[in-house]
Amino acid sequence: MQSALNKKEVSQTSQGCCPNLLFINSSLLSHNNNTVTKPRNSSSQCRQTFAATTSSSIFPNTKFTNHESLPSLHESYTEFNRVYPQFSETEKIDSLRAREYYHLSFLNQSCLDYIGIGLFSYLQRQQHDASKTQLSSPSTSTPQSPLQYSDIPFFSISYKTGNLKTLLLHGGNESEFESSMRRRIMKFLNISENDYFMVLTANRTSAFKLVADSYPFQSCKKLLTVYDYESEAVEAMVGSSEKRGAKSMSAEFSWPRLRIQSTKLKKMIVSDNNKRKKNKKTGLFVFPLHSRVTGARYPYQWMRTAQENGWHVLIDACALGPKDMDSFGLSLFQPDFLICSFYKVFGENPSGFGCLFVKKSSISLLESSSCAGIVNLVPERNLLNNLSENYSTSSNNSQVEIIDPKKSPSILQEQELSSLISFSGRMQTPQFVKVEADPKAPEGSGTDEAKRVVENKQIKIVEDSKNGSFDIECRCLDQVDSLGLTLITNRGRYLINWLVNSLLKLKHPSDEGVPLVKIYGPKIRFDRGPALAFNVYDWKGEKVEPVLVQKLADRNNISVSYGFLHHISFADKYSEEKGRVLQSKEGRGEKVETNKNKDRDNNLGVTVVTAALSFLANFEDVYKLWTFVARFLDADFVEKERWRYTALNQKTIEV
């Protein structure tokens, strides 16, 4: 039975020791003779207070055993705002979503599977020539339905094979379009062109493999990675580096909280340091700033420790929030390599490209080798004609190959998507979308800064007559810059912690109150990332396979993904549990026998459902996911869905 929902109002109080970062519930403050004793002004106390207040204020002393007894969206949102009063400060994101990404509401779609950073808004890509699309431009009011067309991409990519080191040393034949995109991205990420060279890649995996194919593993033999989940990009890097003589190693993560085993990792970093010759590097240390699957954030000190012990450092920034680079401190750590990815339009077009940044002082260490995965950005052909650009199909020691030359080079077909996707989660087959870049109005009329607007029927670009450069408006990047780090981080913090807390309140209707959901990695934490890994269990304690959960969620207009946690280390006291939870990824959930000699077998791990919140996620998105998961409290839910799927003449899901 569900206990009565506590309707006690949560008081709004001062921001306490963490201005602009969290609320402090007044019930947690001690009162003595009408005075309030404020908590210590310390970061640790702030984090503890946040976690304690979240746990005690959201559905306190409550468990939900029936999905029909959950509070309504309105009721839940009211309680949410009482617990997190500062969430109202982020309402400008809701307004932005309604204005620029209105397709999400029309389609009633919750997109919780995007990784990377968006370039353009949906409204921006709708503003195009009506004569070509037979659609008029949207007025200032929100359209009645999302406009549907997807046959004209804003840009496509073309592969070029060549030598990464040569490209870094001598540059390539960069078009004005690419130059403008490069400047905008580096400005957005706060990366100086004086310190780093940017290389466009087909996707995240291509960027990792480029480094693996060029890094001098013959002399710097070690490759050390820190990932609690299986990553296609990292696996490609490991495979390529091992073929070139590298010795690959991985950090391990302690069950059940999946924290880095610090002692083991430090030993791997400093091993043989005393034997290492002066100025001789140990190898390549690959470090994600946080896990894109579990949401765990890792101490930046690991980068410094690696550098002090002779490692080159590659930072994986693909899972960062859109403004997290503002707080990273790139100038302090100065990694040798940094990788991130961009997609075109959130919730509509996940195609895009990867970015590899190479520190200019580190270029000399790379080896010359023929590499695949470097790309050019190709704008529409009529744009090239209108701007009279001489877009060369060859450059220094490089050859450009336009995909599918029998068709327009600006159109990429579905069969080419697999190599171009810029996010690494599960996705439906996307459609390429033409996006118009609508410039900001030119300011001023001085002769030195005079600008003229070059317009054609597809895109508007502002040309600076002083330096001859073109600026492309990436409206999503502009929006993120305007919102800022604090607002975006706070919003994600409130939403992800509410979701975690609410999922943990779902229990099967039994005397033991068996949890419906198991969460892997951090649970309620102030500094957790906006990603979540979990599994659903039936009333018998059997796991519902993540691929099935994902497919059922998709049918309910919720896009989630699934992943594979690995490199998990079990202490002796968890040896019995280890045999129950570890699985073979290929076994589709079949339990496998383990022994001490196979503890670190990379084929063993835990399949999980994953959800990631973008800066555009709202409360309704997390509420929808919560209520969907709660439906598994009905023991017959999966069977009912299978019959429903068959009745609709769709392919039956196989468990």
Side-chain angles (χ1 to χ4, degrees), residues 305-495:
T305 300
Q307 289 172 331
E308 291 173 349
N309 286 273
W311 293 80
H312 293 113
V313 173
L314 184 155
I315 297 301
D316 179 0
C318 293
L320 287 183
K323 287 301 290 179
D324 283 357
M325 282 295 290
D326 285 5
S327 63
F328 170 53
L330 184 67
S331 61
L332 295 177
F333 296 102
Q334 296 184 337
D336 302 278
F337 311 95
L338 186 142
I339 293 173
C340 62
S341 60
F342 292 83
Y343 56 83
K344 290 181 182 176
V345 182
F346 179 78
E348 173 68 17
N349 193 335
S351 66
F353 52 83
C355 291
L356 167 63
F357 296 91
V358 181
K359 188 167 65 172
K360 291 185 176 180
S361 61
S362 300
I363 294 176
S364 59
L365 71 91
L366 298 177
E367 296 179 347
S368 296
S369 62
S370 178
C371 302
I374 303 174
V375 299
N376 287 123
L377 301 185
V378 184
E380 294 176 357
R381 182 177 294 278
N382 63 344
L383 172 62
L384 300 178
N385 294 336
N386 287 347
L387 297 180
S388 299
E389 290 189 25
N390 181 18
Y391 196 93
S392 174
T393 58
S394 63
S395 59
N396 297 336
N397 296 325
S398 300
Q399 293 184 346
V400 178
E401 177 186 1
I402 300 294
I403 300 175
D404 199 354
K406 296 180 180 179
K407 304 173 185 177
S408 169
S410 63
I411 307 298
L412 296 181
Q413 305 301 315
E414 282 190 3
Q415 62 265 30
E416 291 140 3
L417 290 173
S418 61
S419 64
L420 305 183
I421 300 308
S422 62
F423 80 109
S424 48
R426 195 277 324 160
M427 57 166 286
Q428 292 180 333
T429 302
Q431 293 179 320
F432 280 89
V433 181
K434 177 257 159 190
V435 183
E436 177 191 45
D438 189 8
K440 299 178 181 178
E443 299 178 0
S445 58
T447 55
D448 288 340
E449 297 297 332
K451 296 182 178 181
R452 67 181 178 88
V453 178
V454 180
E455 298 188 12
N456 64 64
K457 293 184 178 181
Q458 300 301 323
I459 180 175
K460 298 176 185 176
I461 295 183
V462 176
E463 180 183 4
D464 190 324
S465 62
K466 181 177 180 180
N467 56 29
S469 65
F470 293 88
D471 292 324
I472 299 174
E473 181 192 17
C474 296
R475 193 175 295 178
C476 186
L477 299 187
D478 293 340
Q479 292 161 353
V480 168
D481 279 336
S482 176
L483 293 169
L485 173 66
T486 300
L487 193 72
I488 292 173
T489 301
N490 285 350
R491 184 179 177 91
R493 175 179 295 125
Y494 302 144
L495 291 174

